[in-house]
């Protein structure tokens, strides 16, 4: 995914993972789509901290770094708008503000971004996913020239004069902000996305830009535990108690990498399309449970025996 969205082709996976730092634009598009935080960009986290520290207001404008003359009331992002992934938009939707306006500069002349193409697709996907709250988010055309004089008071300054920004914030909004700040400081991207969508409670479908899948295990499972060992995000857990085992799955952690399916030699684990509850449900589910038996020749534990022999012994004995 990182290579697909990189505008400068600094990231490549043709033969092996490759990064060319000399041509990287530092736009942050790769960080916005990376589901496991292998690639990070600090601009999105700093922006969220700035906005959530503000008291309730009517409108907040977020501008990219390509705007040469940013108004006083604008919160300027130190990067391209494409660094704002789905998790950041979901977090911003919970901020107590009437309107969030994203302003980009002259993209055609910008040498450091992807012309906001990824951001436009991400914003559209978020609108479809959470129509109830996404209505307050929109993107406007370039704003590259100074439009107010130095003596003109901004809207924020006028609000500060009358003390309207000193109004109390509800306890629920404060709690939401606290959760978001904590997860965006210490948690993974999956945790941030899961937390924000759970608080929004308006997920209608899972957008394609969010890598997630449902898993199921069929009766041919041998209990080898390979699926849990190769899972890079611990979405699959292999739990052994005495002579029994269980495979536990936490859907919102899954990034749909497909490693578990590829590594299962018995083809017991299968992928299914994700549903809306996959991204918000916190409860791990037991996909499969079984019991171990002991091979009467080698005494090894196995879930499948042929006439009392494990697969290896049965092959050697010609059973």
């Amino acid at each position: 995914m990182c290579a697909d969205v990189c505008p400068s082709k600094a990231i490549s996976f043709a033969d092996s993972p490759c990064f060319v730092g000399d041509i990287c634009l530092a736009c942050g598009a790769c960080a916005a789509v990376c589901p496991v935080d292998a690639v990070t960009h600090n601009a999105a986290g700093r922006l969220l901290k700035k906005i959530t520290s503000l008291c309730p207001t009517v409108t907040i404008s977020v501008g990219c770094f390509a705007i040469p003359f940013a108004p006083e009331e604008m919160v300027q992002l130190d990067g391209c708008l494409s660094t704002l992934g789905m998790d950041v938009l979901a977090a911003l939707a919970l901020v107590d503000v009437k309107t969030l306006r994203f302003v980009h500069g002259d993209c055609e002349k910008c040498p450091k971004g992807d012309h906001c193409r990824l951001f436009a697709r991400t914003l559209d996907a978020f609108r479809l996913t959470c129509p109830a709250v996404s209505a307050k988010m929109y993107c406007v055309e370039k704003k590259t020239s100074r439009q107010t004089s130095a003596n003109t008071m901004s809207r924020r300054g006028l609000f500060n004069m009358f003390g309207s920004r000193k109004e109390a914030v509800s306890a629920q909004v404060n709690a939401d902000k606290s959760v978001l700040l904590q997860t965006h400081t210490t948690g993974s991207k999956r945790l941030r996305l899961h937390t924000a969508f759970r608080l929004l409670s308006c997920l209608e479908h899972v957008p394609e830009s969010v890598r997630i899948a449902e898993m199921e295990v069929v009766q041919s499972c041998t209990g080898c535990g390979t699926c849990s060992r190769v899972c890079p995000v611990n979405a699959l857990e292999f739990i052994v108690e005495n002579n029994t085992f269980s495979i536990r799955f936490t859907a919102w952690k899954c990034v749909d990498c497909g490693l578990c399916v590829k590594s299962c030699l018995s083809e017991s684990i299968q992928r299914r399309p994700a549903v809306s509850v996959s991204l918000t449900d916190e409860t791990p589910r037991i996909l499969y449970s079984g019991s171990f038996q002991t091979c009467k020749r080698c005494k090894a534990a196995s879930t499948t025996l042929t006439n009392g022999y494990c697969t290896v012994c049965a092959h050697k004995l010609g059973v």
Side-chain angles (χ1 to χ4, degrees):
M1 294 182 68
C2 296
D4 294 337
V5 301
C6 181
S8 63
K9 304 303 178 184
I11 300 178
S12 174
F13 288 89
D15 298 320
S16 61
C18 178
F19 172 69
V20 184
D22 294 340
I23 62 175
C24 176
L25 303 178
C27 63
C30 54
V33 300
C34 181
V36 294
D37 293 319
V39 184
T40 59
H41 195 288
N42 295 328
R46 287 194 290 264
L47 172 69
L48 188 64
K49 285 186 177 181
K50 289 179 183 178
I51 292 182
T52 51
S53 65
L54 299 175
C55 292
T57 183
V58 177
T59 301
I60 290 181
S61 296
V62 178
C64 70
F65 63 86
I67 300 177
F69 302 108
E72 179 186 352
E73 66 272 12
M74 177 177 289
V75 180
Q76 196 157 13
L77 181 71
D78 51 348
C80 179
L81 288 179
S82 288
T83 194
L84 305 181
M86 184 72 69
D87 61 314
V88 179
L89 292 182
L92 291 176
L94 287 165
V95 177
D96 189 20
V97 60
K98 183 178 180 181
T99 306
L100 271 167
R101 179 176 58 191
F102 299 96
V103 185
H104 60 83
D106 193 345
C107 289
E108 297 300 327
K109 297 181 180 179
C110 177
K112 297 183 178 181
D114 74 335
H115 296 182
C116 293
R117 296 188 184 96
L118 178 62
F119 175 72
R121 296 196 300 268
T122 304
L123 185 60
D124 289 341
F126 183 74
R127 288 179 182 276
L128 293 175
T129 305
C130 299
V133 295
S134 64
K136 70 178 184 180
M137 293 183 175
Y138 64 93
C139 190
V140 297
E141 295 295 329
K142 57 188 178 182
K143 191 174 184 180
T144 57
S145 60
R146 188 184 300 275
Q147 297 184 354
T148 58
S149 65
N151 297 324
T152 302
M153 179 175 291
S154 66
R155 184 187 302 177
R156 178 178 297 178
L158 182 62
F159 287 166
N160 286 338
M161 178 184 296
F162 290 100
S164 61
R165 296 183 71 247
K166 296 181 181 180
E167 297 177 358
V169 188
S170 66
Q172 182 60 45
V173 172
N174 275 331
D176 292 347
K177 289 183 179 181
S178 177
V179 171
L180 289 173
L181 281 175
Q182 182 179 2
T183 56
H184 271 266
T185 302
T186 60
S188 65
K189 177 176 291 187
R190 299 303 291 190
L191 179 60
R192 299 194 296 264
L193 192 65
H194 163 68
T195 302
F197 274 127
R198 183 168 49 83
L199 293 173
L200 288 171
S201 301
C202 64
L203 188 67
E204 294 186 353
H205 72 285
V206 180
E208 293 183 359
S209 56
V210 177
R211 301 290 295 270
I212 189 172
E214 284 284 350
M215 295 296 170
E216 64 178 359
V217 178
V218 298
Q219 293 293 328
S220 59
C221 177
T222 61
C224 65
T226 302
C227 56
S228 65
R229 291 195 294 271
V230 300
C231 181
V233 291
N234 295 323
L236 285 165
E237 299 175 272
F238 187 72
I239 302 171
V240 179
E241 296 180 356
N242 298 323
N243 290 328
T244 63
F245 74 93
S246 60
I247 300 175
R248 191 166 64 182
F249 178 63
T250 306
W252 66 266
K253 293 182 179 180
C254 177
V255 295
D256 197 17
C257 63
L259 289 176
C260 57
V261 178
K262 295 176 182 178
S263 63
C264 184
L265 297 179
S266 61
E267 299 182 351
S268 302
I269 187 165
Q270 301 173 2
R271 179 192 181 277
R272 293 188 290 108
V275 293
S276 59
V277 72
S278 303
L279 201 54
T280 56
D281 189 14
E282 295 184 274
T283 307
R285 301 194 313 277
I286 301 296
L287 296 184
Y288 188 80
S289 297
S291 59
F292 291 112
Q293 303 177 56
T294 303
C295 174
K296 60 185 182 183
R297 180 176 182 267
C298 68
K299 308 303 180 182
S302 177
T303 58
T304 56
L305 297 181
T306 304
N307 293 336
Y309 299 102
C310 68
T311 305
V312 176
C313 291
H315 178 71
K316 288 183 177 180
L317 298 174
V319 177

